[in-house]
Amino acid sequence: MHPDHTTPMSTPPPAPSRGGRRLRNIVVTMALGATMFAVGAVMLTPGGNTAPRPAGHGRPDEAPRGSIEALQARVARLPKDPGGWAALGMAYVQQARSTADPATYDRAEKALRTSLSVQGEGNTDAETAMGALAAARHDFPAALRWARKATTSGPYSSSAYGVLADAHTQLGHYDEADDAVQTMTDLRPDAASLARASYAFELKGNTARARALMQRSLAAAATPADKAFAHSVLAGLDLQDANPRAALARTQTALRTAPTDSALLESRARAYLALGDTAKAVADYRAAIAIAPLPHYLLGLGELEQALDHRERATENYDLLRAQDRIREAAGDPADTDAILFEADHGNPRRAVALAEETLRNRPFVAVHDAYAWALHRAGRDGEALVQADKALAQGTRSALFRYHRAAIHHALGDPEAARRDLTEALREPGFHPLHADAAHDLLQRIDTTS
């Protein structure tokens, strides 16, 4: 799921984690404004129905677009232009999320602080971008503070409400997140708001509504990046719905027009894995990593190489992950779920527990509850693990990995029937994990043999 994997939309929803592609990384890197569309917004009604509502009539809220070089030239020419500095800061945030270069976040903050020094009050664009930056760094309490400032200074800014929705989501405030998404779609039912509405339904396990809304987001997409993101998410939904051939066809088509989109390459790798074509899966993972060495790409490839018994190649990826984690730790940033799961499976489970507890304090999101559950299980604390696994699935999220994790915990606690139910659900998604899919098959077979 979301999230969180680079994309479009006026500001970037951060990333959930490996338990479903968007949950693994919904890195939604969006331009600061988007086109108004003359269509009704989507209502997040309990029944999942869509009710038309009039679009908002706020100011367009568009930030200047262009390359980083063009924006740098602009602020050099107009050093007292707060909008130019805000646009440059957001461009750096987007660049960092797509390149995995943490130093770029520092450049983003410098540009945004400059914007705020030029205009300290009512600077909605800079406040929104500061919220997006905080979310990208996984500082969700700070993201929430900035988003609230932005929605106060710019009550008609759909981008600000996007950051507000992202912060609430990652803080486990799901009702508040739905309210923010609703306001965002009311103001501007564009690719950005429709994608967030899609994610709101996906978190609740309603993949049919999520798919319909993401199709609308695709139709509304104004840029190649927006289109690539939508195709990547739709491919992930295809995989959840046990249709890897559809995911493969979609990603192959999308890659013809966006051949260097790393998220599409990773999506196609997962489709190949589900279809049993491990050689092509490895090739696509490597291509994605060559573009952006993001942690979930490295972990996915490392575990696939391990499953293929390519130990040295797996170790190379794991060593890169450990190096990235040392940089994170030195910066004092919280661990993402990939780091927690990697430590639980390939390092020290007790350290994984400590990492999860630190992260959970400021990010009580479903994917963090799942990672914490798995770390506790690997550390032999299954009673506590089950509590966290239940929290991970409490929203109804469809995640084969979450289900497998809870199945293993149920089995360790001596409840084979509960384990069987979760394993059956997990195995509806073929090849959901390079290592754990086979482990799930083996565990279900053992349960069936002994029952």
Side-chain angles (χ1 to χ4, degrees):
M1 253 189 170
H2 288 339
D4 259 337
H5 71 336
T6 51
T7 72
M9 302 146 77
S10 58
T11 42
S17 179
R18 299 173 60 227
R21 152 129 160 125
R22 265 168 111 195
L23 278 176
R24 180 171 53 222
N25 209 3
I26 193 123
V27 186
V28 183
T29 347
M30 308 166 284
L32 259 175
T35 308
M36 289 288 285
F37 288 87
V39 297
V42 60
M43 289 290 287
L44 302 182
T45 57
N49 297 318
T50 301
R53 295 189 65 174
H57 298 287
R59 67 187 180 86
D61 210 31
E62 296 221 3
R65 297 191 182 200
S67 68
I68 286 178
E69 292 77 11
L71 291 168
Q72 288 171 331
R74 172 176 170 164
V75 297
R77 188 174 68 256
L78 302 168
K80 296 299 183 181
D81 175 18
W85 284 109
L88 178 60
M90 178 57 82
Y92 280 135
V93 174
Q94 295 170 346
Q95 183 184 66
R97 301 194 76 150
S98 61
T99 62
D101 178 7
T104 309
Y105 289 135
D106 295 334
R107 290 192 284 273
E109 182 170 4
K110 182 178 180 181
L112 295 174
R113 294 288 182 189
T114 302
S115 177
L116 290 165
S117 70
V118 174
Q119 181 185 336
E121 297 296 327
N123 192 342
T124 304
D125 287 346
E127 291 162 355
T128 301
M130 284 294 287
L133 173 62
R137 287 170 159 170
H138 290 180
D139 186 351
F140 297 105
L144 182 61
R145 290 192 295 273
W146 281 110
R148 283 174 168 160
K149 284 175 65 72
T151 54
T152 299
S153 66
Y156 301 110
S157 169
S158 63
S159 302
Y161 278 98
V163 176
L164 183 65
D166 301 337
H168 277 312
T169 297
Q170 297 293 321
L171 289 168
H173 308 157
Y174 303 110
D175 290 341
E176 292 89 340
D178 285 351
D179 290 343
V181 172
Q182 185 66 70
T183 302
M184 188 184 186
T185 55
D186 288 347
L187 289 169
R188 184 178 297 170
D190 60 0
S193 58
L194 291 167
R196 281 185 173 83
S198 169
Y199 188 47
F201 281 106
E202 187 181 344
L203 275 176
K204 296 173 179 65
N206 190 339
T207 55
R209 288 294 301 133
R211 180 184 296 279
L213 287 162
M214 189 51 67
Q215 289 283 10
R216 287 180 59 186
S217 180
L218 175 61
T223 68
D226 292 1
K227 291 180 172 67
F229 171 70
H231 280 301
S232 182
V233 170
L234 287 165
L237 292 171
D238 288 335
L239 291 172
Q240 285 187 43
D241 290 338
N243 195 348
R245 292 194 181 281
L248 179 60
R250 176 178 293 281
T251 51
Q252 286 177 326
T253 299
L255 280 163
R256 292 191 191 108
T257 54
T260 60
D261 188 278
S262 65
L264 280 172
L265 286 165
E266 191 253 3
S267 293
R268 189 171 68 176
R270 294 178 61 242
Y272 278 131
L273 177 61
L275 292 167
D277 194 337
T278 56
K280 289 182 179 177
V282 166
D284 274 347
Y285 267 122
R286 289 177 178 168
I289 289 167
I291 296 164
L294 298 172
H296 62 285
Y297 299 171
L298 291 166
L299 186 53
L301 178 57
E303 290 181 327
L304 178 53
E305 297 279 24
Q306 182 178 337
L308 296 171
D309 204 29
H310 301 159
R311 299 287 175 169
E312 290 185 7
R313 293 176 186 172
T315 299
E316 289 174 4
N317 289 283
Y318 295 161
D319 286 346
L320 282 172
L321 277 168
R322 290 188 178 96
Q324 289 184 348
D325 195 55
R326 286 193 293 272
I327 294 171
R328 173 202 64 77
E329 195 170 27
D333 295 332
D336 198 357
T337 51
D338 295 307
I340 297 165
L341 294 172
F342 173 66
E343 192 66 29
D345 283 329
H346 307 287
N348 183 337
R350 285 179 293 181
R351 179 172 184 265
V353 168
L355 291 174
E357 289 173 344
E358 178 186 9
T359 298
L360 198 62
R361 280 194 286 273
N362 289 318
R363 191 187 177 193
F365 178 60
V366 292
V368 182
H369 285 297
D370 170 72
Y372 187 27
W374 190 241
L376 288 165
H377 166 69
R378 296 284 291 174
R381 297 163 59 181
D382 289 298
E384 297 165 84
L386 183 58
V387 173
Q388 296 300 319
D390 286 342
K391 288 182 179 181
L393 289 158
Q395 296 297 309
T397 305
R398 286 181 60 187
S399 167
L401 187 62
F402 289 12
R403 288 282 190 171
Y404 167 69
H405 286 164
R406 192 169 70 174
I409 294 163
H410 276 309
H411 189 258
L413 290 169
D415 192 344
E417 287 306 313
R420 178 189 277 111
R421 288 192 295 271
D422 277 335
L423 289 168
T424 301
E425 287 299 315
L427 290 169
R428 293 184 193 280
E429 183 180 333
F432 68 85
H433 188 277
L435 296 171
H436 295 324
D438 286 345
H441 278 289
D442 293 344
L443 181 56
L444 183 58
Q445 188 174 38
R446 291 203 308 274
I447 291 171
D448 288 341
T449 300
T450 56
S451 61

